[in-house]
Amino acid sequence: MIKDPAIKQWKTNGVYINATKAGGIKVFTQEIGNSSALPHATLLLLHGFPESSFSYHLVASGLLERFERIILFDFPGYGLSDKPKTGYSYSLLKQADVALEVWKYFGITGGHLLAHDMGDSVATELIAREVEKSIPNWFTIGFKSYTLTNGSVILELAELRIMQKLLLTSFGKFLSILSNKWLFKHQIKSAHGNSTLSEMEISRLWEMNIQNEGRAITYLTIKYILDRKKYESERWLPALKNTKVPIHICWGNKDKVASVEMAYRLKKKICPKAKLTIMEDVGHFCQIGSPETWLTSILSFFE
């Protein structure tokens, strides 16, 4: 049951699709703006962990000042989408498949890709497919740019929270069940890194997290980190290095999980031609903690 009025409205504005790549489970999607917009005026958003598309609710209207069309969705296991306990791997490769299926549903042939946190990892898988030319033929125009914000794309530099580490152990299933709002709030504040995240937004993160019994599967959704260990050095970082598509690295420097050192290393070692924007005094959940700074920083790339 949804209590927050803003989340209720968000759900009303969206539609569900049956994702065949995810075994037919329901995926919450939303299209904002002009459905006939061309790819150069289309923005494709990917959210992070433990978030949902709703994390962009404070910046969507500002993004429409540059883009005519925005496509959002909740990954399986997150937000308002189905959260199966069995039958879905929650791997980043499967999440990338779902992203493509959502875009195909909306008739997307290309656009600008913008991601946050776990969404960065899904984005790097999509970049790898773009580099190896395995993106489906219907995506004819392709990606116009990539923007990565505050995500653990270089895992050795990530400072995972204690709960994240524990969820990856054999005790993860039990910890998921025992999790409560107080623990969730503590972990979110610890990860964010400064005091800009409001109590209301933390409560909204929690409310979206517990929809469809989502709290009980956190030990499954967190396993995306294992995919980072498996594919990062051999597949995803080389793809970032080899793509010819413009890249924007946009990072809040107060992040306590995906530290700003990641952004500097990406720029120096992996993709030196990328534009690097450091958002001063901005934490991990940047678009809900510092929406105005985030918008200014993001849109400067497209100017």
Side-chain angles (χ1 to χ4, degrees):
M1 179 179 178
I2 299 175
K3 297 179 180 179
D4 188 278
I7 296 177
K8 286 183 179 179
Q9 186 60 53
W10 189 261
K11 182 177 182 179
T12 299
N13 293 341
V15 297
Y16 283 91
I17 71 168
N18 290 318
T20 57
K21 297 289 186 180
I25 66 177
K26 292 191 301 181
V27 173
F28 175 82
T29 68
Q30 187 171 168
E31 178 183 45
I32 303 174
N34 176 15
S35 61
S36 300
L38 297 174
H40 75 272
T42 297
L43 182 64
L44 309 169
L45 294 177
L46 302 177
H47 69 78
F49 172 97
E51 302 175 75
S52 69
S53 60
F54 186 72
S55 287
Y56 292 105
H57 76 108
L58 294 178
V59 296
S61 60
L63 290 170
L64 282 175
E65 294 181 10
R66 164 58 179 81
F67 296 96
E68 297 176 26
R69 186 188 197 189
I70 302 173
I71 304 295
L72 313 96
F73 67 96
D74 294 350
F75 285 112
Y78 296 84
L80 300 172
S81 289
D82 281 351
K83 301 174 179 179
K85 296 178 182 178
T86 59
Y88 187 72
S89 68
Y90 293 104
S91 77
L92 293 169
L93 278 65
K94 293 297 292 183
Q95 302 288 40
D97 289 340
V98 170
L100 287 166
E101 190 164 359
V102 169
W103 299 336
K104 183 178 182 181
Y105 171 84
F106 284 105
I108 301 296
T109 58
H112 297 271
L113 182 62
L114 191 159
H116 173 64
D117 187 74
M118 180 203 71
D120 286 356
S121 295
V122 179
T124 55
E125 169 58 24
L126 291 164
I127 295 169
R129 296 183 191 187
E130 171 257 311
V131 170
E132 68 186 14
K133 297 182 174 17
S134 64
I135 295 287
N137 292 334
W138 52 262
F139 202 68
T140 52
I141 305 301
F143 295 110
K144 307 297 288 183
S145 72
Y146 304 121
T147 298
L148 305 179
T149 68
N150 289 75
S152 296
V153 291
I154 302 177
L155 196 56
E156 66 176 285
L157 296 179
E159 299 178 22
L160 300 180
R161 302 297 88 183
I162 294 175
M163 184 61 76
Q164 289 177 303
K165 293 178 181 179
L166 291 174
L167 284 169
L168 287 167
T169 70
S170 57
F171 300 103
K173 183 175 182 178
F174 304 102
L175 288 171
S176 293
I177 297 171
L178 294 173
S179 179
N180 57 40
K181 187 175 181 179
W182 184 88
L183 285 171
F184 181 84
K185 176 180 175 181
H186 175 76
Q187 291 297 306
I188 292 298
K189 285 189 171 183
S190 174
H192 187 60
N194 64 14
S195 60
T196 60
L197 205 56
S198 70
E199 294 294 323
M200 177 181 290
E201 291 304 327
I202 294 175
S203 292
R204 286 169 167 171
L205 283 172
W206 172 251
E207 185 165 355
M208 291 296 266
N209 191 54
I210 62 175
Q211 295 301 310
N212 302 326
E213 300 182 352
R215 175 175 57 177
I217 64 158
T218 309
Y219 76 101
L220 295 175
T221 53
I222 192 69
K223 291 184 184 298
Y224 80 90
I225 292 175
L226 302 180
D227 279 350
R228 283 233 60 92
K229 293 180 180 179
K230 185 176 181 180
Y231 297 106
E232 180 182 293
S233 62
E234 298 297 324
R235 179 171 175 80
W236 293 336
L237 294 183
L240 277 171
K241 186 174 184 178
N242 294 325
T243 183
K244 300 298 190 293
V245 176
I247 297 173
H248 184 200
I249 304 164
C250 190
W251 228 262
N253 68 347
K254 296 298 183 181
D255 193 324
K256 292 298 184 183
V257 177
S259 65
V260 71
E261 282 73 19
M262 288 189 199
Y264 290 126
R265 185 179 293 189
L266 283 172
K267 171 67 175 177
K268 184 177 181 180
K269 302 287 188 181
I270 309 300
C271 37
K273 292 183 180 180
K275 177 182 178 181
L276 174 63
T277 301
I278 302 300
M279 297 181 284
E280 296 293 336
D281 199 33
V282 172
H284 178 75
F285 299 96
C286 38
Q287 67 270 40
I288 54 176
S290 305
E292 293 182 1
T293 301
W294 185 93
L295 267 173
T296 300
S297 303
I298 291 295
L299 294 179
S300 67
F301 174 64
F302 300 104
E303 291 174 0

